[in-house]
Amino acid sequence: MQKNDLLSLHCDGLGADMEGVCRHEGMAVFVPGLLPGEEGQVRITKVQKKFAFGRLMELIGSPSPDRTEGNCPSWPRCGGCSCRHMRYEATLAAKQKQVEDCFRRIGHLDVPVLPCIGMENPDGYRNKTSLSIGGTAEEPVLGFYAPRSHRVIPAEHCPNAMDPSGDICTAFLSWMKAHAIEPYSEETHTGLVRHLVIRINRRREAMVTVVINGKTLPHAESLAEALAPVGMQSLVVNENRERTNVILGRSFKTLYGPGVLEDELCGLRFSLSPASFYQVNPVQTEKLYQTALDFAELTENDLLCDVYCGAGTITLMMARHCRKAIGIEVVPQAIDNARENALRNQIPNADFHVGAAEDVLPRLVADGLRPDVIVVDPPRKGLDPAVIDAMAKAGPRRIVYVSCNVATQARDAALLDAAGYRCVKAQPVDMFCRTSGVENVLLLSKLENAEHIDIKVDMSELDVTKAESDEGATYEEIKAYVKQHSGLNVSALYIAQVKRKHGIIERECYNKPKKDNGKTPVCPPEKEAAIEAALRYFGLIK
């Protein structure tokens, strides 16, 4: 098989990104847009040692009964909705299977997985949309980067976004044109406006954050005048002058309005800052949190600990059902919001701690914290080993693990299983309709006959590794896999660091700085997780 070959391929299943998985002469070929049971003419776009990528040119024969029309002018160019061509019911079944496969393949666990909870109307659900800005000062563009490129695909009227996101985008583009505001270029690190982040509440009020490559936003008063009539309640500018794909920088300045957004969830009122974590789908969030509450089975005498609590949504909802609730969150603004939310909702039995979970939870446990139930809702990279160790030492009777990345959740579940916690059941919830993403709630219960043993948790304890052999993947293949499946660029140094972490011996020079007094860059967590996924795929780790 070579690049540009035109092949007739049959789709046998779906991959992690809902792409079709085909086989040609024993090699896996990933083909976005092809559904199980379909055959298509496929143009090979890239060939690696153990797999290849292809582009669907046309279907051969009858389409799958699960195929439907993608009702969006930006699809599939924007790369956002990886299953907009599928019947919604088929995506729910595929997500349930995805959860089952992750626990079995990554965690080596047999976990009962319930049918995925879907939406009655799976469009217009996102309360937060982060759009990249491209084009020119004369013709600016708002949208999303095309896969594996710096090209912005126009998507200012994304069908996933809540109203009035589209109207805000239209007004913002008109303002940029009127004042010849230069869009930011990732390739040259020039231009001013990088991103537009729109957060909307259930009253259809919006908080708009403009991310800029500079200190000040010119014509800010004119922008506020343009956005206020279409639902904008707060206008915030965020400074991000780093060469990074991270959207928000650290510095925020409110230009108009209160600088926060009020919203209602699970019968509680919340105040959100631009940096606060808040689930993007309010309808499904209430189903997700109700599931977490049901799994927790709290009593009025229980002590609850909510790790990675964000603005306190889960903490405060569950505080109404227990003696006391403790929340931990690393973002100071989110903790400020959480404390304000506790006062606003007259919930006196909630206490919040600011700091990294891997620092705060072990300290609290060492000081005698023994919660009856622990809830965790970590970022995509999953739980830090120090958090897992502290949870095992605390010995709650139940752990409720909420995750947007089932792969890392399955990895962590295996570690918790080794520490004496049985995986009881999992409930997927479709928070990210039309995409491959799925949120999952996992219930773990402490084994009654298990005695706690102090353990030092290390990720390599889960993945029994083998030394790299001639059958292993090359660095270029690993880089290509990571780019295809996560959109991230990783260096040979980062790959070497992750391999060394998992016991795969590397040449010493990969981990040393070029200069005697130089510092070696450390692989960021999101890139580490992406590299680990590639290593698992190639069989270098389990």
Side-chain angles (χ1 to χ4, degrees):
M1 187 192 311
Q2 295 181 342
K3 183 178 179 180
N4 292 325
D5 281 354
L6 187 63
L7 304 175
S8 297
L9 299 179
H10 183 272
C11 180
D12 300 316
L14 293 173
D17 293 324
M18 297 293 177
E19 73 275 46
V21 180
C22 308
R23 292 280 172 183
H24 179 73
E25 298 179 349
M27 179 181 286
V29 182
F30 298 104
V31 185
L34 199 59
L35 296 178
E38 292 182 336
E39 187 172 349
Q41 285 275 61
V42 175
R43 177 78 65 186
I44 301 301
T45 57
K46 184 177 291 188
V47 179
Q48 302 295 325
K49 186 174 182 180
K50 295 185 177 180
F51 63 93
F53 300 104
R55 179 185 299 114
L56 177 63
M57 306 305 292
E58 64 175 332
L59 286 176
I60 301 173
S62 300
S64 165
D66 289 330
R67 180 171 291 278
T68 186
E69 292 295 324
N71 58 339
C72 174
S74 301
W75 180 87
R77 295 175 301 145
C78 80
C81 296
S82 54
C83 48
R84 187 163 282 278
H85 60 300
M86 298 172 62
R87 278 192 319 112
Y88 183 57
E89 293 75 16
T91 69
L92 297 179
K95 291 182 181 187
Q96 179 185 0
K97 186 176 185 299
Q98 184 182 104
V99 174
E100 293 170 342
D101 290 346
C102 279
F103 279 105
R104 182 173 58 253
R105 178 173 49 85
I106 298 172
H108 308 291
L109 297 168
D110 184 15
V111 181
V113 179
L114 302 172
C116 188
I117 299 174
M119 291 191 75
E120 183 177 347
N121 176 17
D123 290 311
Y125 63 86
R126 285 193 68 100
N127 60 19
K128 181 181 178 182
T129 307
S130 301
L131 297 130
S132 299
I133 300 175
T136 64
E138 295 76 21
E139 290 295 332
V141 174
L142 268 174
F144 306 103
Y145 285 122
R148 299 173 299 282
S149 83
H150 295 277
R151 182 167 47 92
V152 178
I153 301 299
E156 60 264 28
H157 291 281
C158 175
N160 292 339
M162 290 174 61
D163 291 333
S165 289
D167 293 338
I168 289 172
C169 289
T170 299
F172 186 80
L173 288 173
S174 296
W175 169 81
M176 286 189 69
K177 286 183 183 180
H179 297 284
I181 304 295
E182 194 72 28
Y184 175 74
S185 168
E186 266 201 349
E187 294 176 321
T188 63
H189 195 52
T190 59
L192 180 66
V193 184
R194 300 176 67 138
H195 299 281
L196 185 70
V197 182
I198 305 170
R199 179 170 264 171
I200 295 171
N201 63 18
R202 287 181 160 182
R203 295 198 299 265
R204 299 300 190 262
E205 299 166 338
M207 175 168 60
V208 177
T209 302
V210 184
V211 184
I212 61 173
N213 179 39
K215 281 189 170 296
T216 59
L217 182 68
H219 310 289
E221 185 176 340
S222 172
L223 178 58
E225 291 174 353
L227 298 183
V230 290
M232 186 269 295
Q233 299 291 308
S234 287
L235 178 61
V236 179
V237 65
N238 173 261
E239 180 183 339
N240 184 356
R241 292 195 282 176
E242 300 294 325
R243 284 184 175 268
T244 176
N245 57 7
V246 176
I247 293 176
L248 293 176
R250 296 183 179 181
S251 175
F252 295 87
K253 182 180 179 181
T254 300
L255 303 180
Y256 175 90
V260 294
L261 188 67
E262 304 281 337
D263 202 9
E264 183 174 325
L265 192 69
C266 302
L268 298 172
R269 299 287 304 167
F270 293 97
S271 177
L272 306 167
S273 70
S276 295
F277 171 77
Y278 193 63
Q279 295 282 4
V280 301
N281 186 332
V283 173
Q284 294 297 89
T285 297
E286 292 189 335
K287 298 175 185 177
L288 179 79
Y289 288 176
Q290 185 60 51
T291 299
L293 179 62
D294 292 342
F295 281 11
E297 295 185 26
L298 292 168
T299 71
E300 61 183 12
N301 295 318
D302 282 344
L303 173 61
L304 168 78
C305 186
D306 178 16
V307 189
Y308 311 96
C309 70
T313 47
I314 291 180
T315 320
L316 298 178
M317 183 198 72
M318 291 193 174
R320 298 178 296 181
H321 301 273
C322 63
R323 172 174 56 87
K324 184 177 180 180
I326 296 172
I328 299 171
E329 171 60 44
V330 70
V331 180
Q333 300 98 319
I335 286 294
D336 290 341
N337 291 158
R339 289 169 177 157
E340 293 166 3
N341 292 330
L343 292 172
R344 179 178 292 103
N345 291 283
Q346 300 180 342
I347 297 178
N349 62 329
D351 187 21
F352 294 96
H353 298 261
V354 63
E358 58 268 28
D359 297 328
V360 177
L361 185 63
R363 184 178 72 245
L364 293 177
V365 171
D367 291 341
L369 177 69
R370 295 295 181 267
D372 301 285
V373 177
I374 292 180
V375 177
V376 291
D377 187 1
R380 291 188 60 82
K381 67 178 182 178
L383 298 175
D384 188 276
V387 172
I388 295 176
D389 186 40
M391 290 166 64
K393 290 177 179 176
R397 70 172 183 270
R398 284 187 187 84
I399 296 172
V400 180
Y401 190 150
V402 182
S403 175
C404 62
N405 186 346
V406 186
T408 54
Q409 186 185 44
R411 176 202 67 194
D412 296 341
L415 291 169
L416 290 166
D417 178 83
Y421 284 87
R422 177 175 59 91
C423 295
V424 179
K425 57 184 174 180
Q427 175 62 76
V429 180
D430 191 22
M431 296 283 290
F432 316 104
C433 308
R434 311 296 191 189
T435 77
S436 60
V438 61
E439 197 93 5
N440 189 55
V441 187
L442 175 67
L443 171 61
L444 300 105
S445 179
K446 188 176 183 181
L447 296 174
E448 293 182 3
N449 61 346
E451 295 182 3
H452 170 66
I453 301 174
D454 286 344
I455 60 172
K456 181 179 180 181
V457 178
D458 183 81
M459 291 304 177
S460 61
E461 293 176 7
L462 170 63
D463 297 321
V464 179
T465 65
K466 60 181 179 180
E468 187 175 16
S469 67
D470 291 338
E471 297 301 316
T474 66
Y475 276 77
E476 291 306 313
E477 288 175 327
I478 294 171
K479 290 178 184 179
Y481 183 95
V482 170
K483 184 66 175 177
Q484 172 72 17
H485 289 268
S486 70
L488 298 173
N489 292 310
V490 295
S491 65
L493 171 63
Y494 286 167
I495 295 171
Q497 288 176 353
V498 177
K499 282 186 173 183
R500 180 170 292 276
K501 172 183 172 180
H502 286 276
I504 302 172
I505 303 302
E506 287 292 348
R507 288 175 291 162
E508 192 72 18
C509 61
Y510 270 121
N511 292 288
K512 286 188 175 181
K514 300 296 183 184
K515 299 179 181 178
D516 292 339
N517 61 348
K519 293 183 178 180
T520 302
V522 177
C523 183
E526 65 275 11
K527 293 190 176 183
E528 179 180 323
I531 293 169
E532 287 176 333
L535 296 181
R536 288 191 187 91
Y537 176 84
F538 289 111
L540 294 175
I541 62 176
K542 292 183 179 178

